[in-house]
Amino acid sequence: MKVLVVGGGGREHALAWKLKQSEGVSQVFVAPGNAGTARDAQLINLPITDKVALREWVQANGVGLTVVGPEAPLAAGVVDEFRAHGLAIFGPTQKAAQLESSKAFSKAFMQRHGIPTAEYQAFTDPVQAHAYVDAKGAPIVIKADGLAAGKGVVVAMSLAEAHEAIDFMLLDNTLGVAHNAGGARVVIEEFLEGEEASFIVLCDGKHALALATSQDHKRLLDADQGPNTGGMGAYSPAPVVTPEVHQRAMDEVILPTLRGMAADGIPYTGFLYAGLMITPDGRVKTLEFNCRLGDPETQPIMMRLQSNLAQVLLAATRTELDRVTLEWDPRVALGVVLAAAGYPMNPRKGDAITGLPADEGDRMVFHAGTTDANGAVITSGGRVLCATVLAATVADAQRSAYLLIDGIRFDGMQYRRDIGYRAL
């Protein structure tokens, strides 16, 4: 069977890398891919991003399964386009993807269906938004209502920071948010105390199957300092997700979401990522939904997955996830993101990358913001690479990951030196 992965980031490189290992898969294409997928002789990059052109290419080339990585094609309706022509594709429809593409839709959905989340209000008027923040005080969370490539959330620890974020999102659009119909809007939420974890499941419209637990590090700098980013590293498993927390996440968040979407006439299929806040007393609240795998959580999760991913995802397209179990490597996987100069606000592009090690089974450098320039690998995005390893313990994985990074160089390269510290 031929498989297509839609996207060109680190998550898609990891998905393609795992899919090519699936028995029964003859070829994996990545559209558009990156320099990492281009370097892999078993993967083929496809320079197509338009959903109709992709669908026509899949029909012409007999592709048996398409897997969508990033949020933008989902929000643009690539799944609807493929399904309208009877093609097997794993991902949510455009309407279902509103769980991610509209924070306001997501919050209203959670409120309507009794899914635990933070108190909130949505605003289009900056004056009203500023007044609300003044009334509530800080810390407080400001979210852009639209796709912002993982950067549309500001955890404001002061009123000044909150007011600046409102102006960024409603007036300046400094973050480059893809606003929804009706223009700029922000969701302002109460600040929740606790520890964050990524809870990611596969959904087929009726059933949900949990992936291995994981935890990422959102802040740019060591000890969780500096601005929020799309994620500077991740590890799996996440000790904070105890068996009790896992059960609560399934019973109070995931299954009510599946039932609620079905009741609203929008059955949910695809990856579903619930960003959870686990309070000190073990309660679970939903910070956000993503309609895709997390990045950089995907890289460690795929390193640990031992099942045939292609067959699992095919089963999901047939509403047969209740027949599937997943096998996991018992070791720890840990990934450290190498980011470009100026990330997250103004990442620089075009810096040459040297010292990339050869790929190995237990040590992989997954590419994200890279491109091939006449044989040279150069930076083309904010998060450039994710050095990911498997090892017996978190401490061993940490050591191995930083050794893997040792020889890699590009101007302005920045990375955290404490990924996994919470699990040590």
Side-chain angles (χ1 to χ4, degrees):
M1 178 176 68
K2 296 176 185 175
V3 177
L4 170 68
V5 176
V6 177
R11 166 185 45 234
E12 290 77 42
H13 187 184
L15 278 169
W17 172 81
K18 181 52 67 175
L19 283 162
K20 77 178 186 182
Q21 299 167 29
S22 298
E23 189 178 343
V25 170
S26 57
Q27 187 65 67
V28 178
F29 301 90
V30 193
N34 57 39
T37 52
R39 277 161 54 101
D40 189 324
Q42 294 173 278
L43 304 174
I44 297 176
N45 282 0
L46 194 64
I48 304 174
T49 53
D50 176 76
K51 65 184 179 185
V52 175
L54 271 176
R55 185 260 302 162
E56 290 172 346
W57 188 90
V58 160
Q59 287 177 309
N61 288 274
V63 171
L65 173 67
T66 299
V67 183
V68 187
E71 61 274 28
L74 295 170
V78 67
V79 171
D80 308 68
E81 174 67 30
F82 275 54
R83 285 202 188 152
H85 292 83
L87 298 168
I89 184 166
F90 186 67
T93 61
Q94 188 174 35
K95 279 188 176 176
Q98 288 180 101
L99 276 179
E100 175 171 8
S101 65
S102 171
K103 294 283 189 286
F105 172 93
S106 176
K107 294 295 285 191
F109 170 84
M110 285 190 266
Q111 198 172 55
R112 195 164 63 247
H113 292 287
I115 295 160
T117 189
E119 178 189 294
Y120 83 103
Q121 288 287 331
F123 299 93
T124 55
D125 182 340
V127 175
Q128 291 178 0
H130 286 303
Y132 183 79
V133 161
D134 283 332
K136 290 292 182 183
I140 197 162
V141 181
I142 318 294
K143 296 181 175 181
D145 181 40
L147 296 179
K151 296 188 289 291
V153 177
V154 173
V155 181
M157 301 312 288
S158 67
L159 284 175
E161 213 181 336
H163 290 307
E164 183 184 38
I166 289 166
D167 288 340
F168 263 8
M169 294 177 193
L170 287 182
L171 300 175
D172 308 337
N173 197 18
T174 309
L175 295 168
V177 178
H179 291 306
N180 292 302
R185 181 164 53 176
V186 292
V187 168
I188 304 179
E189 292 184 359
E190 69 171 316
F191 174 79
L192 298 174
E193 294 275 5
E195 196 168 345
E196 287 187 44
S198 310
F199 198 85
I200 309 173
V201 299
L202 306 169
C203 302
D204 66 6
K206 291 182 179 178
H207 316 104
L209 184 62
L211 296 178
T213 60
S214 59
Q215 191 165 28
D216 76 336
H217 297 258
K218 291 280 189 227
R219 299 282 187 168
L220 181 69
L221 305 174
D222 286 7
D224 296 324
Q225 301 297 305
N228 246 2
T229 72
M232 292 301 293
Y235 57 94
S236 172
V240 70
V241 184
T242 63
E244 294 76 22
V245 167
H246 193 287
Q247 197 60 51
R248 279 197 144 165
M250 289 299 288
D251 293 345
E252 298 173 20
V253 178
I254 300 299
L255 295 175
T257 298
L258 267 186
R259 288 194 294 266
M261 291 294 278
D264 290 352
I266 319 169
Y268 190 93
T269 62
F271 298 108
L272 182 64
Y273 170 126
L276 302 179
M277 181 64 82
I278 299 158
T279 62
D281 61 358
R283 288 181 302 119
V284 166
K285 286 203 173 183
T286 314
L287 295 170
E288 63 176 351
F289 284 119
N290 290 329
C291 295
R292 53 187 165 86
L293 285 168
D295 187 346
E297 296 96 330
T298 306
Q299 292 87 319
I301 288 171
M302 288 299 122
M303 289 284 277
R304 290 189 61 214
L305 182 65
Q306 293 181 322
S307 302
N308 183 317
L309 181 60
Q311 290 305 317
V312 170
L313 299 183
L314 262 184
T317 67
R318 298 166 179 159
T319 324
E320 294 174 356
L321 273 181
D322 55 328
R323 305 181 191 178
V324 173
T325 55
L326 297 175
E327 301 295 327
W328 300 99
D329 192 308
R331 291 176 293 172
V332 172
L334 185 144
V336 179
V337 169
L338 309 182
Y343 180 76
M345 294 306 287
N346 297 294
R348 190 171 73 204
K349 298 179 181 179
D351 289 310
I353 304 168
T354 59
L356 287 166
D359 295 342
E360 298 174 35
D362 291 354
R363 290 157 42 96
M364 280 290 302
V365 176
F366 293 108
H367 289 234
T370 66
T371 193
D372 190 296
N374 300 316
V377 180
I378 61 170
T379 64
S380 62
R383 290 180 298 163
V384 178
L385 303 165
C386 185
T388 313
V389 302
L390 276 168
T393 67
V394 175
D396 289 344
Q398 226 183 27
R399 273 193 297 275
S400 182
Y402 288 106
L403 278 173
L404 185 57
I405 288 167
D406 241 8
I408 302 172
R409 297 280 182 274
F410 57 87
D411 284 348
M413 181 171 91
Q414 48 178 338
Y415 61 93
R416 284 181 56 159
R417 287 161 176 80
D418 64 347
I419 299 302
Y421 80 90
R422 289 199 202 101
L424 285 170

